[in-house]
Amino acid sequence: MSRPIFEVIALTPQDAQAAESGGADRLELVTDMAADGLTPAVEDFARIRAAVGIPLRVMLRIRDGFAPGDLDGLCARAAELRAEGAEEFVFGFLDADGAVDLAATAAVAEAVAGCRWTFHRAIDHSADRAALRAAVGALPGLDTFLTSGAAAGVDAGRRVLSAELARAGGPGHRQRILIGGSLRAEHLAELRAEGFDAFHVGGAVRVDGWHTPVDAAKVAEWRARIDG
């Protein structure tokens, strides 16, 4: 049985190296956490990629909120990142009514064809997450949903997470559940016992929130709890 996945948000090469040394399996690369994480510059991606050896998933999001914004520009950014060596991505879009923007999501999936990607926490803000899962479940490359089960975080979304885990393998539920969003260390024992095997954190492995870098010791503490 493979060990659980532990993904850490990184903004800089320093973050990335600390996360890797502490035991993270994968990084989510973003910039501008004031907007909940936007696409990093190609140059920043290149510096982080050169600093570590673990897989990187790069955020494709160029504006706050869950609308795609300039879709052509977003696909162009994806192409630039791929040319620089990016192989995995994170994205997902909603329309003004909170339904999945399937056209935009499919267009970006096509722009990163051949790459694996995560549909991010837009699912937790959608009007109908079951409909969203059904709509995007067959898009090529999608292997993960990053979710806390509810917009308010893991505490509010526990029942939803459990219900979705119970449907694992069925239509719209073939992707891995990556739990993130107000995830705390004290959640881990219960979540692991239930069968969840992928976890995502950002601020929780920093000494003083987003103003401070990733702390390798905190990453190692989380790694130990996850491996339990």
Side-chain angles (χ1 to χ4, degrees):
M1 184 174 172
S2 61
R3 78 173 186 171
I5 289 176
F6 182 29
E7 180 179 271
V8 173
I9 298 172
L11 287 78
T12 65
Q14 180 184 5
D15 282 350
Q17 289 173 329
E20 182 178 43
S21 67
D25 299 295
R26 189 170 73 201
L27 305 176
E28 180 187 88
L29 304 190
V30 303
T31 190
D32 195 358
M33 285 308 299
D36 290 327
L38 303 180
T39 302
V42 175
E43 297 80 7
D44 291 335
F45 162 77
R47 283 192 287 268
I48 293 172
R49 182 171 180 265
V52 295
I54 57 177
L56 317 174
R57 292 212 169 184
V58 187
M59 180 67 71
L60 292 176
R61 183 170 177 259
I62 57 174
R63 53 175 288 179
D64 199 358
F66 299 112
D70 176 6
L71 189 56
D72 289 340
L74 186 61
C75 290
R77 291 287 294 279
E80 293 170 1
L81 286 158
R82 290 192 73 180
E84 191 61 44
E87 298 177 338
E88 302 181 36
F89 295 93
V90 183
F91 57 92
F93 308 103
L94 305 178
D95 64 21
D97 297 320
V100 63
D101 187 334
L102 185 58
T105 304
V108 178
E110 183 176 353
V112 300
C115 299
R116 291 175 291 174
W117 58 279
T118 298
F119 193 104
H120 61 51
R121 287 196 66 220
I123 188 174
D124 294 336
H125 297 264
S126 65
D128 186 338
R129 61 189 291 131
L132 183 152
R133 277 179 166 275
V136 305
L139 289 177
L142 174 62
D143 67 359
T144 303
F145 282 100
L146 171 60
T147 178
S148 61
V154 171
D155 285 329
R158 284 290 286 111
R159 289 185 180 180
V160 170
L161 291 171
S162 297
E164 291 185 343
L165 182 64
R167 299 188 185 99
H173 294 270
R174 295 188 176 93
Q175 293 76 22
R176 184 188 296 270
I177 297 172
L178 175 64
I179 299 181
S182 301
L183 179 66
R184 301 191 305 276
E186 54 264 36
H187 290 128
L188 292 173
E190 183 178 319
L191 291 168
R192 289 288 294 122
E194 192 171 344
F196 292 99
D197 63 356
F199 304 93
H200 165 103
V201 298
V205 290
R206 297 165 188 267
V207 172
D208 188 22
W210 295 106
H211 299 293
T212 55
V214 170
D215 182 273
K218 286 186 173 290
V219 176
E221 290 171 7
W222 274 75
R223 176 84 262 174
R225 281 178 176 261
I226 289 169
D227 291 345

